Amino acid sequence: MENSENSIPEVKSFLQSNTAKMIMVGFLTLVLLIPLFFVQDLIRERSQRKIQMVDEVTDLWGKDILFYGPVLRIPYTNYEAYNVTDPKNGATTIQRKAITNYAYFFPNELKNTSNIKKNESLKRGIFNHVVFTADMNFKGNFTSPDFAKLGIDAENIQWDKASIIVKTTNLKSIKSELKIQLNNNKFAFEPQSSDKSQYSVLATGNFDYKALVSNEKINFDFAITYNGSNSVKFIPIGKVTSISVDSDWKSPSFEGSFAASDTTKTISQKGFHADWKVLDINRTFSQQYAIVLPNLDDYLFGVKLIQTVDEYQQNERASKYGFLVIGLTFLIFFLIQSVSKINIHIFQYSMIGLALIMFYTLLISITEHSTFSFAYTIAGASVVAMITLYSISILKNRKFPMFIGISLSALYTFIYIIIQMEDYALLVGSIGLFLILGAVMYFSRKIDWSR
């Protein structure tokens, strides 16, 4: 009985020790990860809703722009032999059937100049998606078609039924009349049946190649205006392909099989300019094909117009630092408690932790109606003010609460800087955490942990 009575003060002494308090605060930190995970799930849910909205908008406005053309198409006659058996005497004779196929010839020179302007007018509910309008101009020429490389006899060529075709995506997003000038003649493009790929086919009416050709060349010139989103890409089918793109978009990503010229490429806050020049020796396909056009998607190149970090990505990145914010805040309160001998109840730690969780729900809700920077400022200031005022009632003075308010403000500012960075986020974050650890070691050096 005496041993039992002696153990009660020992239990009370342990529960009041720094070790027990550290265990309880650590456990509470882990428990608060549960609502933090719910907040992260909410961010993902809202992000998924935005993705659905983006799909709806791009279906109406226009998706990625891919361009394959122009291509000179000339039909030719091919004769196939087949056996015919006479039912009376069983004799077999060989007959020939004329079949019309097509030969395709890529341009000798292909030049494109494109101007891409962003359009921010599309909105669905609280979500806003940035799309663009692309004004594209194509110039170049075709030289004499080389049917000999395709093994086609000259007498089988139907010169008077030549045409020009282009393959492209998003026919419904074309916003200009599409006509092509061939030397001194103009021809209108008309849609044809799709070729079982992501492309749609546009073709001119038939013309007489020999009557149109001049100095063994056919020069072409046409313009096209697209509504699009995400990217603009080309296939370098010219023997010499030159692409020049200007845009007011400040965050391009140059993609594909060929790199933009480093000497002329410029990127600024006002937009970008990029040039490509691709020669026939830079890729491994021919300038002429028979029967069908090849799939050349492996040679696509161009620019992707990206949003470096959208609001939901920024919210998600901010929430990933939630454990760090909760842990460091509790550590500050624990060090103050240990230095000042002021007792802070676990319930009070819980209230402080929930206030820190509320920062992320405020952040995402305000971001959806404003900018991330504004939302971060309002949410951060609100939570810092709440915890600072609550600390005054807990700590019964103003010196420690002011230190807590300054520390939290510095911590939220530090995290905001990391979120805005891309290339140096890991470096700055590592240096910052190292400095925070050094500060904690410095301020805790005189605490008697053996009590």
Side-chain angles (χ1 to χ4, degrees):
M1 186 68 177
E2 184 180 348
N3 291 335
S4 176
E5 291 176 352
N6 291 335
S7 65
I8 293 176
E10 292 178 1
V11 171
K12 289 183 178 180
S13 177
F14 173 76
L15 292 176
Q16 294 174 355
S17 67
N18 284 334
T19 302
K21 292 175 181 178
M22 287 179 64
I23 292 173
M24 287 187 288
V25 171
F27 179 74
L28 178 60
T29 303
L30 294 177
V31 169
L32 287 173
L33 289 180
I34 297 174
L36 184 61
F37 287 145
F38 282 125
V39 171
Q40 292 175 342
D41 188 59
L42 174 64
I43 295 172
R44 286 189 288 269
E45 179 188 341
R46 305 295 289 183
S47 178
Q48 189 63 36
R49 284 189 60 188
K50 183 179 179 181
I51 292 173
Q52 294 173 356
M53 180 279 300
V54 169
D55 290 339
E56 292 176 6
V57 169
T58 54
D59 281 339
L60 295 173
W61 179 266
K63 297 184 178 181
D64 300 77
I65 296 174
L66 309 180
F67 200 89
Y68 181 168
V71 180
L72 174 62
R73 181 177 68 179
I74 301 177
Y76 64 93
T77 303
N78 190 31
Y79 294 94
E80 289 187 358
Y82 63 97
N83 296 328
V84 177
T85 302
D86 191 331
K88 294 182 179 179
N89 54 22
T92 301
T93 59
I94 298 176
Q95 297 186 10
R96 294 199 310 166
K97 178 173 64 174
I99 297 175
T100 298
N101 286 322
Y102 290 94
Y104 300 91
F105 301 93
F106 295 156
N108 180 62
E109 187 177 18
L110 174 61
K111 293 182 179 180
N112 168 266
T113 56
S114 297
N115 192 297
I116 303 171
K117 295 181 179 179
K118 64 181 178 182
N119 187 316
E120 300 182 1
S121 61
L122 290 185
K123 192 172 183 179
R124 289 292 183 276
I126 61 173
F127 301 110
N128 203 9
H129 179 56
V130 181
V131 292
F132 62 81
T133 298
D135 295 315
M136 306 167 68
N137 181 264
F138 295 86
K139 293 183 179 180
N141 60 73
F142 294 97
T143 53
S144 299
D146 192 350
F147 281 91
K149 288 186 176 180
L150 299 175
I152 299 172
D153 296 331
E155 64 269 16
N156 294 333
I157 302 171
Q158 301 176 29
W159 294 103
D160 59 336
K161 295 181 180 179
S163 60
I164 301 293
I165 67 168
V166 296
K167 299 174 69 175
T168 185
T169 54
N170 292 337
L171 286 189
K172 67 179 181 180
S173 70
I174 297 176
K175 299 303 175 184
S176 63
E177 186 179 15
L178 190 53
K179 291 184 178 181
I180 185 170
Q181 181 165 332
L182 303 175
N183 286 342
N184 296 322
N185 298 271
K186 278 192 175 182
F187 298 87
F189 281 102
E190 295 181 356
Q192 294 191 342
S193 57
S194 184
D195 59 355
K196 296 182 180 180
S197 70
Q198 60 183 328
Y199 297 94
S200 299
V201 180
L202 296 169
T204 65
N206 294 338
F207 59 86
D208 190 333
Y209 177 86
K210 290 189 174 181
L212 199 63
V213 69
S214 175
N215 296 324
E216 297 186 349
K217 283 186 178 182
I218 291 183
N219 297 310
F220 63 83
D221 185 352
F222 67 97
I224 184 171
T225 299
Y226 280 100
N227 285 342
S229 60
N230 194 47
S231 67
V232 178
K233 293 182 180 178
F234 307 88
I235 294 178
I237 62 173
K239 200 166 187 179
V240 178
T241 301
S242 302
I243 306 293
S244 178
V245 178
D246 288 282
S247 176
D248 56 357
W249 202 286
K250 62 181 180 181
S251 55
S253 173
F254 302 108
E255 298 183 337
S257 300
F258 305 96
S261 172
D262 289 331
T263 57
T264 59
K265 182 174 64 178
T266 59
I267 303 174
S268 68
Q269 290 298 311
K270 295 182 179 180
F272 72 88
H273 171 84
D275 295 313
W276 291 262
K277 186 173 182 179
V278 183
L279 306 177
D280 59 335
I281 60 174
N282 301 140
R283 67 319 191 259
T284 57
F285 58 84
S286 176
Q287 288 296 109
Q288 54 276 317
Y289 288 90
I291 303 177
V292 295
L293 277 171
N295 184 341
L296 301 177
D297 286 355
D298 289 341
Y299 299 92
L300 278 166
F301 70 94
V303 60
K304 184 176 182 180
L305 308 179
I306 61 173
Q307 291 178 290
T308 50
V309 182
D310 70 15
E311 64 270 24
Y312 291 106
Q313 289 176 318
Q314 290 174 317
N315 272 271
E316 186 174 2
R317 288 173 64 178
S319 68
K320 290 179 179 178
Y321 293 99
F323 179 76
L324 174 66
V325 174
I326 295 171
L328 288 176
T329 303
F330 282 178
L331 182 60
I332 291 172
F333 274 94
F334 183 78
L335 292 176
I336 290 173
Q337 172 181 277
S338 301
V339 171
S340 65
K341 307 296 190 296
I342 299 173
N343 185 41
I344 303 176
H345 195 272
I346 193 66
F347 176 81
Q348 294 168 322
Y349 275 106
S350 302
M351 292 298 100
I352 295 167
L354 291 176
L356 295 172
I357 297 295
M358 282 299 299
F359 166 79
Y360 300 101
T361 58
L362 285 172
L363 179 61
I364 187 173
S365 59
I366 299 174
T367 300
E368 291 185 335
H369 300 277
S370 182
T371 64
F372 177 80
S373 299
F374 178 78
Y376 195 95
T377 302
I378 296 300
S382 301
V383 171
V384 170
M386 177 183 287
I387 293 177
T388 302
L389 293 173
Y390 189 58
S391 302
I392 294 175
S393 64
I394 296 175
L395 303 176
K396 309 301 181 183
N397 62 51
R398 294 184 179 273
K399 179 179 69 173
F400 288 127
M402 289 301 296
F403 174 74
I404 290 169
I406 293 172
S407 300
L408 279 176
S409 299
L411 181 58
Y412 279 123
T413 302
F414 170 65
I415 291 174
Y416 178 80
I417 293 172
I418 294 177
I419 293 171
Q420 299 305 309
M421 290 183 170
E422 293 182 25
D423 298 333
Y424 298 99
L426 180 60
L427 175 63
V428 174
S430 300
I431 294 173
L433 290 176
F434 179 80
L435 294 176
I436 290 171
L437 177 61
V440 172
M441 294 172 69
Y442 176 80
F443 286 111
S444 63
R445 71 192 189 281
K446 293 183 178 181
I447 297 177
D448 183 8
W449 298 103
S450 61
R451 284 190 302 110

